[in-house]
Amino acid sequence: MKRILLVKTSSLGDVIHNLPVIHDILKHHPDAQFDWVVEEGFADIPKLHPNVDEVFTVAVRRWKKHVFALKTWQEIIKCKRSLSSKAYDLVLDTQGLVKSAILTSFAQGVKHGYDKNSIREPFASRFYDQTYDIPYQQHAINRVRTLAAMSLGYPIPTDAPNYGIKGNAVIEEKLATELKAPYMMALHATSKDSKLWPKEEWVKLGFELNQQHYKLVLPWASETELARAKWIAERLPNALVLPKLSIAKVATVIANAKASIGVDTGLSHLSAALSIPTVAVYTDTKPELTGVMASSEAEVINLGGKHQTPPHTEVLASIQTLLSN
């Protein structure tokens, strides 16, 4: 039996990218057991996976803001004690940052990670016992799957990723009733304004989906995102703005959608991980390296790229293609 600690702390999309390594490892080591180190705000993701036993939460983002506070150092000491309390056969840091490498160093076990030539912060490679040269010019999911394969000595996988999660959180009865009609997800919010798809395009798409008798469901996490969701919904007869939900509950809502339309955001990756047909719209990044990647059970279409704005007609055509397939 192999005990493995996965270190992938943030952000939402990156944590989702790490999920397929569990399925890959289990194919070659069926009795492997997994724990995971993750930022507190994204802990719902590894908890969705049935093969993750213990989730160690850290708060590096919060600690950095209050580095001199007594509570911060009490939490760091507690974190170190927790991570060092178990012995692992392998500790795998797929984050490749100094912060994740330091957390990796807290654990007992042989530590594996990227070498100095294939890591975002080269100093981090000094914390690993075994390092690997894995070229950057490939999708982020392929990189982490390759790192896991090289660390455990099995062939590098070439099949579609199996994320291994399902959305099964309990949804409040009132909201569940509102979601009985067929609906699609509008994953409209993202971390940078340059990644946003114009609100007007969302409205045009919403009217087209209304003609096909679909609701358009809009999640949000911040007040800015709520204001954007309300602006879109106020101009449509078929839009529903969700209440503020945990990631686990948003996953359940996504899991019951007919399809998702999303910008460059972690929720678009979550939709693909839940095997929902997904159209991802890119306006400021290259989907070849970090775009949504289809699971083995559902298709995705990535549209656009850097300095591009796909029109709603192209998005609608892509949705129809996915649903017809």
Side-chain angles (χ1 to χ4, degrees):
M1 182 183 297
K2 285 192 177 293
R3 294 197 58 82
I4 297 170
L5 178 65
L6 302 174
V7 182
K8 189 73 161 187
T9 61
S10 62
S11 58
L12 179 58
D14 292 333
V15 174
I16 293 165
H17 287 167
N18 204 49
L19 289 167
V21 304
I22 296 176
H23 179 265
D24 294 343
I25 293 170
L26 288 172
K27 284 177 66 175
H28 301 277
H29 301 279
D31 60 351
Q33 294 184 336
F34 300 88
D35 294 340
W36 193 313
V37 183
V38 67
E39 189 74 24
E40 58 185 0
F42 307 119
D44 279 355
I45 297 302
K47 288 178 181 178
L48 289 174
H49 201 294
N51 292 103
V52 175
D53 296 326
E54 186 167 3
V55 175
F56 297 101
T57 59
V58 297
V60 177
R61 294 181 174 187
R62 179 164 52 79
W63 293 341
K64 286 167 67 175
K65 294 178 182 178
H66 307 283
V67 69
F68 297 111
L70 176 61
K71 183 182 178 183
T72 294
W73 288 99
Q74 288 173 335
E75 290 184 3
I76 292 172
I77 293 169
K78 182 180 179 181
C79 169
K80 185 175 182 179
R81 286 174 178 165
S82 296
L83 290 176
S84 62
S85 64
K86 290 185 178 182
Y88 293 96
D89 297 291
L90 183 143
V91 183
L92 183 64
D93 178 10
T94 60
Q95 191 92 41
L97 299 175
V98 171
K99 67 176 183 180
S100 61
I102 292 172
L103 293 169
T104 299
S105 72
F106 292 166
Q108 296 184 57
V110 180
K111 300 161 182 67
H112 297 250
Y114 301 105
D115 73 5
K116 64 180 181 179
N117 298 314
S118 53
I119 196 168
R120 199 186 318 171
E121 296 180 358
F123 185 74
S125 64
R126 295 170 178 252
F127 289 83
Y128 311 134
D129 301 306
Q130 300 287 335
T131 61
Y132 306 90
D133 181 11
I134 301 173
Y136 271 109
Q137 295 306 310
Q138 57 181 310
H139 195 281
I141 292 178
N142 293 337
R143 268 174 54 84
V144 299
R145 296 179 77 190
T146 298
L147 177 58
M150 295 178 74
S151 297
L152 281 106
Y154 58 81
I156 296 171
T158 57
D159 57 342
N162 185 317
Y163 297 90
I165 61 172
K166 297 185 182 299
N168 53 14
V170 176
I171 299 295
E172 288 73 10
E173 185 176 348
K174 181 177 181 293
L175 178 58
T177 300
E178 292 181 292
L179 293 171
K180 282 186 177 179
Y183 63 89
M184 295 191 186
M185 300 299 300
L187 309 175
H188 60 96
T190 186
S191 58
K192 291 175 60 179
D193 288 351
S194 58
K195 295 181 181 181
L196 294 171
W197 196 42
K199 294 182 287 187
E200 295 77 11
E201 293 295 326
W202 282 111
V203 173
K204 292 174 185 177
L205 178 64
F207 274 114
E208 295 287 353
L209 294 177
N210 187 52
Q211 295 298 314
Q212 300 177 23
H213 309 291
Y214 286 111
K215 274 187 176 181
L216 195 65
V217 175
L218 298 99
W220 57 276
S222 68
E223 291 302 316
T224 301
E225 294 173 7
L226 174 60
R228 183 178 179 81
K230 286 182 175 179
W231 191 98
I232 296 168
E234 286 167 358
R235 288 157 177 79
L236 290 170
N238 60 324
L240 171 65
V241 177
L242 292 175
K244 191 168 187 178
L245 300 174
S246 66
I247 292 175
K249 290 187 177 182
V250 172
T252 299
V253 177
I254 293 174
N256 289 286
K258 291 294 183 183
S260 292
I261 308 96
V263 293
D264 184 1
T265 175
L267 292 183
S268 296
H269 296 283
L270 180 57
S271 177
L274 292 164
S275 298
I276 300 301
T278 304
V279 177
V281 181
Y282 290 82
T283 60
D284 192 46
T285 47
K286 296 179 179 180
E288 295 84 3
L289 299 180
T290 57
V292 172
M293 183 177 282
S295 73
S296 54
E297 299 177 13
E299 292 184 80
V300 305
I301 295 176
N302 291 314
L303 298 177
K306 202 164 184 65
H307 307 309
Q308 299 181 38
T309 306
H312 78 280
T313 51
E314 187 177 357
V315 173
L316 183 65
S318 296
I319 294 170
Q320 292 169 339
T321 297
L322 291 178
L323 293 181
S324 64
N325 289 346

